[in-house]
Amino acid sequence: MTIAYDPKATSPTGLADVIRSLNYGVDEVPVEVVAREHSETLVAPLPDDAPPSFAESFRSARADGKPILIDFWAEWCAPCIQLKKKTLADPKVAKALEGVEVIFVDLDEHPGLAKAYGVASVPDVFFVDGEGRVTDRLRSFEEPEQFLTRLARWLDGTKTASLGLSTSAPSDKAVQDMGLVNNVRVLGRLIDTVAPDGPAAAAGLAAGDVLLRIEDNDLYSADDLADYLAVSAPGDRATVRFRRMGDAEPRETTIVLGGGSSARGTGGLRWQFAGLGQLPKALEVARAQKKKVMVGLSGAET
């Protein structure tokens, strides 16, 4: 089939018209919605060489289940300065951000951190939810009222379950010392920080412990923890298996889950991993919310 070239087709509207002329349907979705939905699976990284001030703020917020706003900017960037001085300094915006950890990163001073986040130009603002996932991203100046609408959508007031800790992949030494290799994957999540008054601390967990399992779910990644919490509620009791450096056998403790703010995207297709032990609960939650479910099975466990 040959289609005559039409310069108008180079625009989204023109291209859509050409596709419709061939009797195909076209769904028009705002770019920000697509970006938000496709960013929901991105976990905000904390590189080993991250600046100390960034690492401290990031770990503290993650331990408390607190949303994080990361603003990459530069002094030579006019939209960046406008965003900081006009939008983020707006009294209504500042009040809306009271429960959010706001971190500014100078692109010129910290190019390594910018590279870790895939920042190619500024401004570039990352909206990180209470489980550490990027659920929205802003790459241009936005007026205060528009920004407030974005914040209201992001901070929807949803309370989710929280363990009161932050984790990372175990070090090579921990993997060797604790025998964490299971099949082809590394089992366990190393606890980096524990909120002093949080659920994990009350259950006796401490930084340096390695979480192996929560209820019926083995823990191999940050998603395993985040998605367990996504289908749980504050006040739920969870049996956690963990290992402490020097112990020959795993230990168990019971945690009463706390509550934390979660900034989640809304609508659209949402990818959610569920371990075999978690799958019935995930399906139950989806059924209660009258959502359609697409299940894909993969990996060693299946």
Side-chain angles (χ1 to χ4, degrees), residues 227-243:
D227 290 322
Y228 173 80
L229 295 173
V231 294
S232 302
D236 285 355
R237 300 174 72 86
T239 299
V240 175
R241 181 177 297 177
F242 68 101
R243 185 165 289 173

Side-chain angles (χ1 to χ4, degrees), residues 41 53 62 102 104 138 148 155 203 224 227:
T41 57
S53 58
R62 290 288 296 109
V102 180
F104 293 101
L138 175 64
L148 280 169
L155 298 171
D224 294 347
D227 290 322

Side-chain angles (χ1 to χ4, degrees), residues 38-47 58 62 70 116-118 126-129 131-135 167-168 189 221-227 271:
H38 282 269
S39 68
E40 287 182 343
T41 57
L42 173 64
V43 176
L46 179 58
F58 187 95
R62 290 288 296 109
I70 305 173
Y117 275 79
F126 292 79
F127 297 77
V128 183
D129 72 9
E131 284 90 47
R133 291 177 290 197
V134 178
T135 56
T167 67
S168 62
R189 295 294 297 173
S221 70
D223 283 343
D224 294 347
L225 264 180
D227 290 322
W271 170 260

Side-chain angles (χ1 to χ4, degrees), residues 24 49 95 113 165 184 188 221 245 271 287:
Y24 287 96
D49 59 352
K95 184 169 182 59
L113 188 58
L165 52 77
V184 296
S221 70
M245 187 67 71
W271 170 260
R287 189 178 299 113

Side-chain angles (χ1 to χ4, degrees), residues 184-203:
V184 296
R185 294 186 290 175
V186 173
L187 175 67
R189 295 294 297 173
L190 177 67
I191 298 178
D192 293 321
T193 59
V194 175
D197 300 321

Side-chain angles (χ1 to χ4, degrees), residues 82-90 93 141-144 147:
Q82 193 177 16
L83 187 65
K84 289 180 70 175
K85 292 187 174 181
K86 182 176 181 180
T87 301
L88 297 180
D90 182 274
V93 172
F141 169 74
E142 200 165 65
E143 293 284 350
F147 195 79

Side-chain angles (χ1 to χ4, degrees), residues 3-253:
I3 301 176
Y5 172 72
D6 182 353
K8 292 187 297 182
T10 58
S11 70
T13 301
L15 183 59
D17 290 339
V18 171
I19 294 173
R20 290 191 182 97
S21 72
L22 299 175
N23 296 319
Y24 287 96
V26 177
D27 288 329
E28 296 186 17
V29 181
V31 172
E32 63 269 18
V33 172
V34 175
R36 185 172 67 252
E37 291 172 8
H38 282 269
S39 68
E40 287 182 343
T41 57
L42 173 64
V43 176
L46 179 58
D48 292 337
D49 59 352
S53 58
F54 178 92
E56 182 179 353
S57 297
F58 187 95
R59 289 196 179 103
S60 176
R62 290 288 296 109
D64 294 336
K66 187 177 182 181
I68 308 171
L69 186 146
I70 305 173
D71 182 357
F72 285 88
W73 71 289
E75 290 185 357
W76 45 262
C77 168
C80 298
I81 302 301
Q82 193 177 16
L83 187 65
K84 289 180 70 175
K85 292 187 174 181
K86 182 176 181 180
T87 301
L88 297 180
D90 182 274
K92 292 181 180 179
V93 172
K95 184 169 182 59
L97 288 171
E98 284 180 354
V100 177
E101 186 74 25
V102 180
I103 306 175
F104 293 101
V105 180
D106 189 315
L107 178 69
D108 295 327
E109 291 185 5
H110 306 293
L113 188 58
K115 183 178 180 180
Y117 275 79
V119 174
S121 61
V122 286
D124 202 340
V125 183
F126 292 79
F127 297 77
V128 183
D129 72 9
E131 284 90 47
R133 291 177 290 197
V134 178
T135 56
D136 198 2
R137 191 170 176 179
L138 175 64
R139 296 172 176 170
S140 61
F141 169 74
E142 200 165 65
E143 293 284 350
E145 289 304 317
Q146 292 176 289
F147 195 79
L148 280 169
T149 299
R150 182 183 296 272
L151 284 179
R153 182 180 64 227
W154 182 52
L155 298 171
D156 59 5
T158 301
K159 285 292 183 180
T160 59
S162 169
L163 291 169
L165 52 77
S166 64
T167 67
S168 62
S171 65
D172 292 340
K173 185 177 188 307
V175 170
Q176 182 178 359
D177 292 346
M178 296 186 178
L180 300 177
V181 176
N182 185 315
N183 296 326
V184 296
R185 294 186 290 175
V186 173
L187 175 67
R189 295 294 297 173
L190 177 67
I191 298 178
D192 293 321
T193 59
V194 175
D197 300 321
L205 293 172
D209 291 343
V210 173
L211 299 179
L212 305 174
R213 188 177 179 89
I214 183 165
E215 288 297 322
D216 296 324
N217 304 285
D218 290 331
L219 302 177
Y220 296 99
S221 70
D223 283 343
D224 294 347
L225 264 180
D227 290 322
Y228 173 80
L229 295 173
V231 294
S232 302
D236 285 355
R237 300 174 72 86
T239 299
V240 175
R241 181 177 297 177
F242 68 101
R243 185 165 289 173
R244 188 156 284 167
M245 187 67 71
D247 280 2
E249 298 294 332
R251 302 182 179 193
E252 283 194 355
T253 187

